[in-house]
Amino acid sequence: MSAPTRLRVEFLDDAHGITEPRPRLSWLLPSDCRVQHAYQLRMGEWDSGKVESGESVLVATGAPPLRSRERRAWQVRVWTDAGRSDWSAPSWLEAGLLEPEDWQAAWIRPAEETVAAAGERPAHLLRGILTLPGAVTTARAHVTAEGIYELFVNGVRIGDDELTPGFTDYRSTLQVQTYDVGSLLRPGANTVGAVLSDGWFRGVNGMFRDADCFGTRTALLLQMHLTLHDGTEDVFCTDATWTSTTGGITRADLLGGVTADLRAEPVGWTSGVSDARTWTPVTVADTGYDRLAASPAPPVRRTGYRRPLSVSRSPSGAQVADFGENVVGWVRLSELGPRGTRLTLIHGEALTPDGEVTRRNLLPDHMPPDWEEKLNPGQVDVVVSAGRTGEVFEPRHATKGFRYVAVEGDLRDLTPDDLTAVVVHTDLRPTGTFRCADERLNRLHEIAVRSFLGNAVDIPTDCPTRERSGWTGDWALFVPTAAFLFDVAGFSRKWLRDLATQQFEDGVVPNFVPDQLGPATRDHPLIGENLGSAGWGDAAVIVPWEIFRAYGDRELLERQWPSMVAWVERAIRMAREGRHPHRAANLPEPAPHEEYLWDTGFHFGEWLEPGDQPGWEELRTLDQSAVATAYLRHSSCLLSRIAVVLGREAEAERYREISEHARLAWQTEFVDETGRVQPETQATLVRALAFDLVDADLRPSLAHRLAELVRAVGTRVGTGFLATPHLLPVLAETGYADLAYELLLQNTPPSWMHMLDNGATTVWELWEAIDADGVAHESLNHYSKGAVISFLHRFVAGLRVLDEGPGYRRFRVQPCPGSGLTWAEAGHDSPYGRIEVAWRNHGETTRMRVVVPPGTQAEVRLPDGRRADIGPGTALFEWTNRQDEA
């Protein structure tokens, strides 16, 4: 009999502006439920009736539209072969302010006679007074900002969200948060205050430290709806009666850090206590309400705390705290010394060989001399003590990526109890687990998960230090892995919303999303010519498809369809209308297949492939058609499948034909008459096999040649950015599983185990980021190479989602034991319930346990060749081991 499973019910339409708590119910299904279920949803007076469906995530699309601020109770009941359940306990949802005309509040800007240089601007304090004639029954505060805000009511910080309102393309979308503040209000005067800093809106952004990207002035918008004890309603808003000043935070920049003079902080400014500081009337701005929306993603929160393993003096005299692992967030310091003590906190991922905290690796290795000052690595906080009892410094307006923190200043020797690393990232719900008999693989899994979470700070970033940009290629590579480990449906939905709004009219997708420069990107002297790369722009197609596979979210495919089509059509035009100059010089008249050969435009290619890398000028002129045409084939093929899902028959046929033409063009150009592929690299062969670029009869010889290339370099990785996630799966699927395990466990560079053996606690950007002298190079927290852990989920444990069963309605269990592993296990909380796979070697035999949730089917393939289709419940399997595995 299977373990009980849970049906998750949630409302995903972000246009409704649903307030917290998220409208989600986890409903326990009977343990003996074996077939797909039906459901009935009741919301207020509306009743869905009995709905036969294989969907286990229910979306309230049939219910009457919510009105602004409307609250509805809802219940669900379920039919299975075990019978019909009772109605669930009531849950509820409440809408926010849904339409621009629902807003009465004024946008207010703090008084700012002169604007400091970017990166050196203070945080502003804003406050208003709310006078109430009596007690409050309910109160909702709807808040957003151009900048980053923290909200306070009568001295209490509201909510546990951080870095609100979050990072979006502010030109088109600005997210609103809603808080229940009723318990904090009292009859008489109430003080409502906010701390407002630059954040992503006008602070320093990205590799090139661009500033004022979305505007030159910060602003706050707050509208509070109250119901008094006598039933009357009132509205309190930001308006011209609010005042502002500056306080103790004299510098607040997400990249640069925070400087705070605690002596200058007005004591009690949010609790109604008077202070001597001058408060100046705010300025009302005509900013409008058309961009306001709710976020479908979970908020950024403080998700953990870590004490340092040690605190010691460095040769320079700084006190260096080692937190034992690379984390993202900030440091809370509780020992600040007597009044006037000035302390500087320098955050870094590595130490120099002589034990000093370094930030040099946060800058590119090959950096023009005049960039050194402009690209200051940042990550420095400064605090001046006020000498008050219980004083704590916690710089919440700037995140850092760090393992080490150097504290400089005249201060007694610190102990681990004086510092706390506050871990900050999007509060994603964990859904996937993996463990096996090899602790090295468990450690690799751990650092890959940590690296991803450190780069999930409202958007999927490339690194949490140097750039913090939402590079499209990174998320396209990692999203299948992330969707196994965490619920990234809303997180990706939010990001894709910005991708679509920032996509250029000709279909070009920005290299990173949100792109703070927006339309001006094309005029940027350093990146304007580097747009539209294959493998990066293809995120417009790959990410929605992978989210559909993981969650069955058909509506997302419908919403992103115009964006997907625009990107693929742009690639088609690039192939049809242009030719690479070298090819044109060698063959003035194009061959017929060149109509589908994409050999124009800029492409990053197989980025960071081991060996010598082309410089930027060379990269701009390289013929990257082997990579680009492969992605034209891949994305047009996916688009054809998506069109089938959406019932777009004509489009499905069109893109299927384009995909086949691109496949034939690739074969014509890069496969010679003997069946050899050029350029003959690991990456090219991996793509040929992963993207089905060659015919079935050629696959065995290409797989054999790929294995030879891997062996020829000492069984080491020879792929770069794009092909590495596919390398081990391709080897395993083509009969070279043993070689895949050897590569995975190789400990000489380039390899994953080399990172572990050299102290990596997050995934490195470079295969050899710590050189032989112990010097760090480039980012030590780049999650893309961590996509290798998908091999652990899909092949070591053997749990794989299938295209024909989106949302794990149908999945495959096919373990591929190797390298002497004696056991492995994986679990995944699918939309239908918990899936579990666990196998263990018992000498001559191996036994496996599979848990299949209700409404799903599993296709089981055993190492001895047997196959079985199983339904819901728990199933046990056993096979005889090969002699060389005994």
Side-chain angles (χ1 to χ4, degrees):
M1 182 175 291
S2 69
T5 189
R6 288 185 179 273
L7 168 71
R8 192 175 79 253
V9 186
E10 57 188 34
F11 297 80
L12 300 177
D13 187 353
D14 48 286
H16 281 170
I18 305 300
T19 67
E20 294 286 350
R22 294 292 294 180
R24 173 180 293 164
L25 175 73
S26 184
W27 178 241
L28 194 65
L29 294 180
S31 62
D32 56 350
C33 171
R34 299 189 59 80
V35 299
Q36 76 178 54
H37 51 266
Y39 65 86
Q40 184 176 9
L41 185 66
R42 185 164 65 189
M43 185 190 306
E45 298 179 357
W46 173 81
D47 194 318
S48 69
K50 184 177 179 181
V51 179
E52 302 284 347
S53 174
E55 297 292 337
S56 69
V57 177
L58 316 182
V59 183
T61 55
L66 285 166
R67 300 185 300 275
S68 291
R69 300 176 51 233
E70 181 183 1
R71 178 167 174 156
R72 286 186 192 168
W74 61 279
Q75 296 172 282
V76 65
R77 62 180 173 183
V78 180
W79 283 263
T80 72
D81 61 331
R84 185 183 70 182
S85 73
D86 294 330
W87 283 106
S88 68
S91 187
W92 59 271
L93 58 83
E94 183 178 311
L97 303 179
L98 304 185
E99 304 296 337
E101 52 267 28
D102 295 329
W103 286 88
Q104 306 172 34
W107 281 95
I108 58 172
R109 302 192 190 281
E112 194 174 23
E113 291 185 5
T114 59
V115 178
E120 300 297 328
R121 296 164 184 160
H124 292 267
L125 312 181
L126 302 96
R127 71 179 181 187
I129 305 300
L130 166 62
T131 302
L132 295 172
V136 167
T137 302
T138 62
R140 299 284 191 267
H142 307 277
V143 195
T144 190
E146 293 180 329
I148 286 175
Y149 76 87
E150 292 181 274
L151 182 67
F152 297 83
V153 174
N154 290 330
V156 178
R157 185 173 184 262
I158 303 304
D160 59 358
D161 301 358
E162 301 291 348
L163 307 180
T164 48
F167 190 17
T168 57
D169 172 23
Y170 296 113
R171 299 175 187 88
S172 61
T173 304
L174 187 57
Q175 296 174 159
V176 177
Q177 288 74 44
T178 300
Y179 305 101
D180 180 353
V181 297
S183 63
L184 299 175
L185 297 172
R186 58 190 179 231
N190 295 265
T191 303
V192 181
V195 180
L196 182 63
S197 66
D198 286 6
W200 294 281
F201 184 79
R202 73 165 187 177
V204 175
N205 278 276
M207 165 66 81
F208 303 108
R209 303 302 190 260
D210 298 299
D212 298 329
C213 296
F214 298 99
T216 59
R217 296 286 303 277
T218 56
L220 179 73
L221 181 72
L222 177 146
Q223 185 163 309
M224 188 183 298
H225 288 262
L226 311 101
T227 302
L228 302 178
H229 69 291
D230 61 1
T232 60
E233 295 187 354
D234 197 3
V235 180
F236 173 70
C237 299
T238 45
D239 58 22
T241 67
W242 281 55
T243 55
S244 73
T245 189
T246 54
I249 302 177
T250 59
R251 175 184 65 107
D253 187 78
L254 269 175
L255 271 166
V258 168
T259 297
D261 186 341
L262 301 184
R263 299 170 300 182
E265 185 70 10
V267 176
W269 70 274
T270 63
S271 57
V273 176
S274 61
D275 57 75
R277 183 172 295 266
T278 300
W279 288 77
T280 305
V282 297
T283 302
V284 172
D286 184 16
T287 302
Y289 312 113
D290 291 341
R291 298 170 294 152
L292 303 183
S295 174
V300 174
R301 290 191 173 107
R302 287 166 283 179
T303 62
Y305 303 90
R306 187 172 180 85
R307 294 287 193 185
L309 300 181
S310 64
V311 183
S312 59
R313 292 279 181 178
S314 70
S316 69
Q319 300 193 61
V320 176
D322 176 4
F323 289 93
E325 62 189 39
N326 220 359
V327 300
V328 175
W330 50 73
V331 168
R332 178 190 296 158
L333 184 60
S334 58
E335 174 52 56
L336 303 180
R339 182 178 177 84
T341 302
R342 182 182 179 89
L343 304 175
T344 301
L345 285 70
I346 302 171
H347 304 71
E349 297 181 322
L351 300 177
T352 63
D354 60 354
E356 302 288 354
V357 174
T358 180
R359 294 175 295 147
R360 182 59 186 82
N361 69 297
L362 306 184
L363 300 176
D365 267 355
H366 306 291
M367 184 175 60
D370 59 338
W371 284 16
E372 182 95 37
E373 183 174 348
K374 179 181 180 182
L375 299 190
N376 185 303
Q379 300 213 136
V380 175
D381 292 331
V382 179
V383 59
V384 179
S385 170
R388 301 187 185 103
T389 302
E391 197 167 55
V392 174
F393 175 58
E394 184 175 340
R396 293 190 294 264
H397 287 246
T399 57
K400 302 95 186 170
F402 62 96
R403 172 176 172 173
Y404 304 95
V405 174
V407 181
E408 298 178 347
D410 186 11
L411 192 65
R412 67 158 174 84
D413 286 351
L414 296 170
T415 71
D417 290 338
D418 297 320
L419 304 98
T420 303
V422 182
V423 181
V424 177
H425 57 74
T426 297
D427 194 8
L428 298 169
R429 180 173 63 91
T431 56
T433 58
F434 170 85
R435 293 285 295 172
C436 73
D438 192 328
E439 278 304 313
R440 294 171 298 174
L441 296 181
N442 294 334
R443 285 172 54 214
L444 175 63
H445 195 271
E446 178 186 332
I447 73 165
V449 171
R450 183 182 301 119
S451 198
F452 165 58
L453 287 177
N455 280 290
V457 183
D458 210 47
I459 64 168
T461 59
D462 61 328
C463 63
T465 53
R466 180 183 68 212
E467 298 178 51
R468 314 180 187 198
S469 297
W471 282 89
T472 50
D474 295 63
W475 194 228
L477 292 175
F478 200 83
V479 68
T481 309
F484 178 87
L485 296 167
F486 297 94
D487 182 350
V488 295
F491 182 73
S492 299
R493 189 181 182 92
K494 168 189 175 292
W495 185 79
L496 286 167
R497 178 172 64 184
D498 283 335
L499 184 150
T501 61
Q502 293 204 288
Q503 194 168 6
F504 293 94
E505 289 186 3
D506 61 358
V508 169
V509 173
N511 288 333
F512 35 84
V513 173
D515 182 347
Q516 62 268 20
L517 294 179
T521 297
R522 281 193 150 154
D523 299 323
H524 195 283
L526 296 172
I527 59 176
E529 298 178 2
N530 302 344
L531 299 173
S533 172
W536 276 253
D538 291 278
V541 180
I542 294 171
V543 174
W545 172 249
E546 291 296 340
I547 294 300
F548 172 72
R549 294 180 77 227
Y551 306 103
D553 188 353
R554 183 182 181 278
E555 191 276 334
L556 178 66
L557 296 181
E558 192 73 67
R559 192 185 75 172
Q560 296 298 127
W561 176 258
S563 169
M564 294 187 277
V565 167
W567 168 255
V568 172
E569 290 292 343
R570 185 256 180 183
I572 294 168
R573 289 196 306 273
M574 295 290 285
R576 183 180 63 241
E577 297 176 1
R579 300 180 73 206
H580 193 276
H582 294 168
R583 184 170 285 102
N586 293 330
L587 187 67
E589 289 298 320
H593 73 276
E594 290 187 45
E595 182 178 353
Y596 297 95
L597 189 75
W598 186 7
D599 62 349
T600 56
F602 173 85
H603 302 283
F604 291 104
E606 191 61 23
W607 184 251
L608 294 184
E609 199 169 9
D612 294 335
Q613 291 290 307
W616 280 107
E617 292 307 317
E618 182 184 358
L619 201 60
R620 288 191 176 102
T621 60
L622 279 180
D623 181 352
Q624 301 271 21
S625 52
V627 176
T629 306
Y631 272 94
L632 173 56
R633 148 71 177 176
H634 185 54
S635 284
S636 56
C637 182
L638 293 183
L639 198 57
S640 177
R641 295 183 193 178
I642 291 166
V644 170
V645 172
L646 299 179
R648 298 174 176 268
E649 296 180 5
E651 291 99 326
E653 179 61 22
R654 165 175 160 74
Y655 291 115
R656 187 195 65 77
E657 291 179 358
I658 288 168
S659 175
E660 284 303 308
H661 283 305
R663 183 176 187 264
L664 291 172
W666 195 93
Q667 292 178 6
T668 303
E669 190 73 16
F670 303 112
V671 183
D672 67 21
E673 61 276 5
T674 69
R676 293 180 74 96
V677 168
Q678 298 295 333
E680 197 177 48
T681 65
Q682 287 187 31
T684 305
L685 292 172
V686 166
R687 242 183 316 276
L689 295 164
F691 289 177
D692 190 28
L693 294 169
V694 295
D695 296 334
D697 61 344
L698 196 55
R699 291 180 68 84
S701 63
L702 292 192
H704 178 72
R705 184 55 183 151
L706 173 60
E708 288 182 334
L709 292 181
V710 171
R711 294 288 191 200
V713 291
T715 315
R716 292 182 177 88
V717 177
T719 52
F721 190 86
L722 293 176
T724 294
H726 304 291
L727 175 59
L728 301 189
V730 161
L731 288 171
E733 288 172 340
T734 56
Y736 295 90
D738 290 344
L739 181 56
Y741 273 100
E742 286 185 56
L743 262 179
L744 178 61
L745 296 171
Q746 172 68 260
N747 63 1
T748 55
S751 69
W752 293 276
M753 293 302 141
H754 174 73
M755 294 186 199
L756 288 180
D757 291 347
N758 283 269
T761 62
T762 47
V763 178
W764 296 346
E765 180 178 12
L766 304 180
W767 289 110
E768 299 180 70
I770 305 292
D771 66 22
D773 297 323
V775 176
H777 299 269
E778 305 286 354
S779 168
L780 300 187
N781 194 349
H782 248 71
Y783 62 76
S784 60
K785 290 182 174 67
V788 70
I789 66 172
S790 182
F791 179 80
L792 305 182
H793 310 148
R794 296 166 52 210
F795 290 86
V796 177
L799 177 52
R800 313 178 196 181
V801 66
L802 296 174
D803 290 354
E804 61 268 29
Y808 290 86
R809 186 175 182 186
R810 183 171 175 85
F811 58 92
R812 179 177 296 162
V813 175
Q814 186 178 2
C816 185
S819 194
L821 282 178
T822 57
W823 63 270
E825 60 187 30
H828 178 69
D829 292 325
S830 79
Y832 294 88
R834 181 74 173 175
I835 302 171
E836 294 180 359
V837 178
W839 60 262
R840 183 176 292 271
N841 186 306
H842 292 273
E844 295 184 356
T845 62
T846 296
R847 298 170 190 165
M848 181 172 70
R849 175 178 174 268
V850 180
V851 176
V852 181
T856 70
Q857 287 186 324
E859 173 190 300
V860 180
R861 297 186 179 184
L862 302 181
D864 62 9
R866 288 180 294 152
R867 298 189 179 191
D869 287 337
I870 60 174
T874 298
L876 302 177
F877 298 89
E878 184 175 307
W879 63 87
T880 302
N881 298 320
R882 295 184 335 206
Q883 289 300 311
D884 58 351
E885 291 182 348

